[in-house]
Amino acid sequence: MGSLHGLLSFIPLWLSILLLSGALLSLGAAGASIRVWALAVFALFWLFGLPKTLTLTITAILVIMAIPPLRKVLFSSNVMRLLKAMKLLPKISETEKVALEAGSVWADGELFSGRPDLNHLMQEPYQKLKAEEQSFLDHQVETICQMTNDYQTYQDGDLAPEVWAYLKKEKFLGLIIPKKYGGLGFSNLGHSEVVSKLGTRSIPLAISAMVPNSLGPAELLIHYGTEKQKDYYLPRLASGEEIPCFGLTEPGAGSDAGAMTSTGVIFKDENGKLCVRLNWEKRYITLGAISTLIGLAVKLSDPEKLLGGSSEPGITCVLVPASTPGVTLGRRHDPLGVPFYNCPISGKDVVLSVDQIIGGAAGAGQGWKMLMECLAAGRSISLPAQSTGGAKRTARIIGAYAQVRKQFGISIGQFEGVGEALAKIGGMTYLLEACRIYTAGALDKGIKPAVVSAIAKFNSTEISRNLINHAMDISGGSGISLGPANMLAHSYIAAPIGVTVEGANILTRTMIIFGQGAIRCHPFAYQEMKALEAGDLTVFDKAFASHIGHIVRNGCRALILSLSRGHLAKVPSGPMRRYYQKLSWTSASFAFLADIAMGSMGSRLKFREKITGRFADILSWMYLITAVLRRFEAEGRQSEHRAFADYAIRYGFSEIQKAFDGLYENMELPFPGKQITALFALWSRFNTLAVPADDQTGTKIAQAMMTPGDVRDALTARGVYMPEDVKEPMGRLEHAFLLSVEADQIMRRVNRAVRKREIPKGRPEEILLSAREKGLITEEERKVVESATEACRKAVEVDSFALDEYKKGVVNAFTQGKDNRKGPLASVSGA
Ligand SMILES: Cc1cc2nc3c(=O)[nH]c(=O)nc-3n(C[C@H](O)[C@H](O)[C@H](O)COP(=O)(O)OP(=O)(O)OC[C@H]3O[C@@H](n4cnc5c(N)ncnc54)[C@H](O)[C@@H]3O)c2cc1C
């Protein structure tokens, strides 16, 4: 050893520093224990000839940290006191605690860890439908889509009576209800596929079927109902005998549902029976006006403690038959003209037996927990399904439209500007489907990933809103002109609905994804908070020591992976290896930075939503990229799909880069944190994670979307209702599209001949005749071109109305001939 010490003294200083830093970084990145650190620091410092006092001081600190009883007394107890005094860790209310503890941690935990096991994430299910679910899609779902006329639904303000009858008869309202209660007992993926396909025909159809299957009486009963409640209500809900709704939102309690003022009071009636008296005023309740069974959330009080618990049990869910005296239904809101029932509902002194509390007397006060747990999973099904179905349909329509619509003599999709928008629609549609299936797979495995659900809901609705905007741009005036021929406007108009419901998006991004993620997915933060609150030094000491190790490991990993641009990460092999490396690199940097932000801002971080929003973006895109990688692997690494995956992944990484840049720019850290982050910012811009996909990748996607065949179908046909009848706008467009592609091939030959002056220039029909006469094309081919021209003309036609006809439509839609509106403007004449 002595000789080695001597040898190292001959190494130049810069090399010594480099070697020492490398050794310490490797140790840190490997996640060495404190004991190993103590030994290694002592040995390395001695070997490199560092001053003895420094060596001994640092080694002594590490030894103290390595011996729990000493660490507890000398270190952790003081940290605990300091944290309490500085109020650095946020105080968590009871309702927040329930929300935080709802559901489970899954891929989000891996990505939050800084060292994700990507092999494991690539083994997670990416499943297929069961045979009976596929059959239901091919028959019942196909039939109801055929039965539904979306335009007429908007005109009538409701689905046709026969559509409602079929929905009930075929148990669309009982997709999630177990078979033993007469429901269809579908998997989460099956449920998602049905909602997704219904939405490709008509949004009101999808919403009407989706709401009874999402958070509401059925789901709450399945998980928390008493046997008696399940036996009575579930078969009635499955068969459509009962139409459910769920009332949570109130005029004063929207995002902050805990602020509700609806009440339930326990009392004994004159016969000594335990009852609950309910008073409520709810709004935005889907299916409210036509419901027969209301799942109602109220704040319950039990002043005489008749239920044997607290006098204020709190939020409770009650089943209210709509026919009970005191219940008022019968009005509806108008959600952007989308004709599904969305209603105010109220109740005055509605008296029911306590047996109507979901879960019976034991369910009193459990409402918040029930809602949070169900929302934790449910958020990832309905809205991602509807958004993804919509995106696939949009991609199919707009790819065809961009081929069929010709301007300046060529298909508009051939212009790079349009191709750019097409590429985004294609790439992001690939991503949405990946996210939908990957997330449903976790649910079917029994996981209830709360943070991932929020990620899926937020991003699906945001991305699909963005895609429909691009599609509207491409479709030009035909997207804007309303009427039966318009295929996109209803999706465009309805986009904000998905954004608002089940946790409005701004709040979901800035509060839930990172707020809940930082506490739930972080391996130690929540343990520390709970220990701090309980004053439990032993638990705090263990968690805090591990937390420090976690920060050191992630800091070292982040530095090594950043310097090596991810190349040193241990990741799965294969064509996507480079992306796995970047994902590992991102995860390490994210985890390290999240700890810095939490440590430096503490409880203030909760209110720095511009910061938490950016962290949420990084976590979201890491998850979405993981889902895309999983899809690519699960589908057999098909090279024809590579451009779609590349586009989505590179888009994701460039969004992550933006979020990191924003964090470095805006995180307020005490000295010298600000200066260090300024360096990080400089380095991050110089050493960017990725740039968006190149133009060539985008062109490949645009071409694939405008070319009939397997690639287009894999992206846009599965789970999309595709009417073939040319009387239907979508059938007409598809027919024109296929003809147009065939005609373009023929015309390529003809145009070549014109350029070579083999045939004279002229009007299109003259050129075609000359080509036919010259034997350049057959008569059959000439007819194909002719039919294609006619089909394309019809496919891009828009509706127009006689002046009177139009006025009548407006009167019908808005006033029904008589102004019976209620609300702020009702009294304003002509408003
Ligand atoms: C069509 C439709 C159907 C619905 N169906 C039902 C139903 O069946 N049952 C039911 O109970 N409810 C239903 N809702 C209610 C829905 O869940 C609420 O609209 C939603 O929770 C938001 O409440 P709010 O509209 O009052 O918005 P607000 O709470 O007023 O929020 C307004 C904006 O502020 C943002 N915001 C609020 N707080 C924060 C915060 N802390 N940080 C950052 N941003 C914040 C929100 O993200 C939102 O963008 C429905 C709503 C609609 C529009």
Side-chain angles (χ1 to χ4, degrees), residues 246 248-249 254-255 284-286 340 342 501 504 506-507 511 609:
F246 191 77
L248 174 66
T249 308
S255 301
Y284 307 146
I285 309 307
T286 304
F340 65 97
N342 186 251
V501 298
I506 297 182
L507 167 128
M511 260 186 105
E609 291 191 342

Side-chain angles (χ1 to χ4, degrees), residues 151 689 779:
Y151 184 72
L689 200 54
E779 178 56 17

Side-chain angles (χ1 to χ4, degrees), residues 538-567:
T538 308
V539 174
F540 180 82
D541 169 70
K542 213 168 155 215
F544 195 70
S546 307
H547 193 164
I548 292 177
H550 178 77
I551 297 174
V552 171
R553 189 200 72 190
N554 284 333
C556 294
R557 265 178 67 77
L559 190 56
I560 290 177
L561 293 178
S562 175
L563 289 170
S564 68
R565 295 196 46 75
H567 280 285

Side-chain angles (χ1 to χ4, degrees), residues 385-398:
Q386 204 197 319
S387 305
T388 307
K392 288 192 287 189
R393 176 178 177 273
T394 299
R396 189 162 186 88
I397 289 172
I398 209 65

Side-chain angles (χ1 to χ4, degrees), residues 207 211 214-215 245-257 282-288 295 297 333-336 340-343 496-511 606-607 609:
I207 296 179
V211 167
S214 63
L215 182 61
C245 73
F246 191 77
L248 174 66
T249 308
E250 298 176 5
S255 301
D256 181 12
K282 303 279 181 185
R283 67 176 181 185
Y284 307 146
I285 309 307
T286 304
L287 297 182
H333 306 297
D334 185 4
L336 288 172
F340 65 97
Y341 289 93
N342 186 251
C343 315
I497 294 175
V499 166
T500 304
V501 298
E502 293 202 20
N505 275 5
I506 297 182
L507 167 128
T508 303
R509 170 175 176 258
T510 56
M511 260 186 105
K606 190 171 161 184
F607 303 101
E609 291 191 342

Side-chain angles (χ1 to χ4, degrees), residues 189 223 252 287 313 450 504 520 570 586 767:
L189 183 64
H223 294 291
L287 297 182
R520 273 317 291 283
K570 209 171 142 224
T586 307
I767 294 175

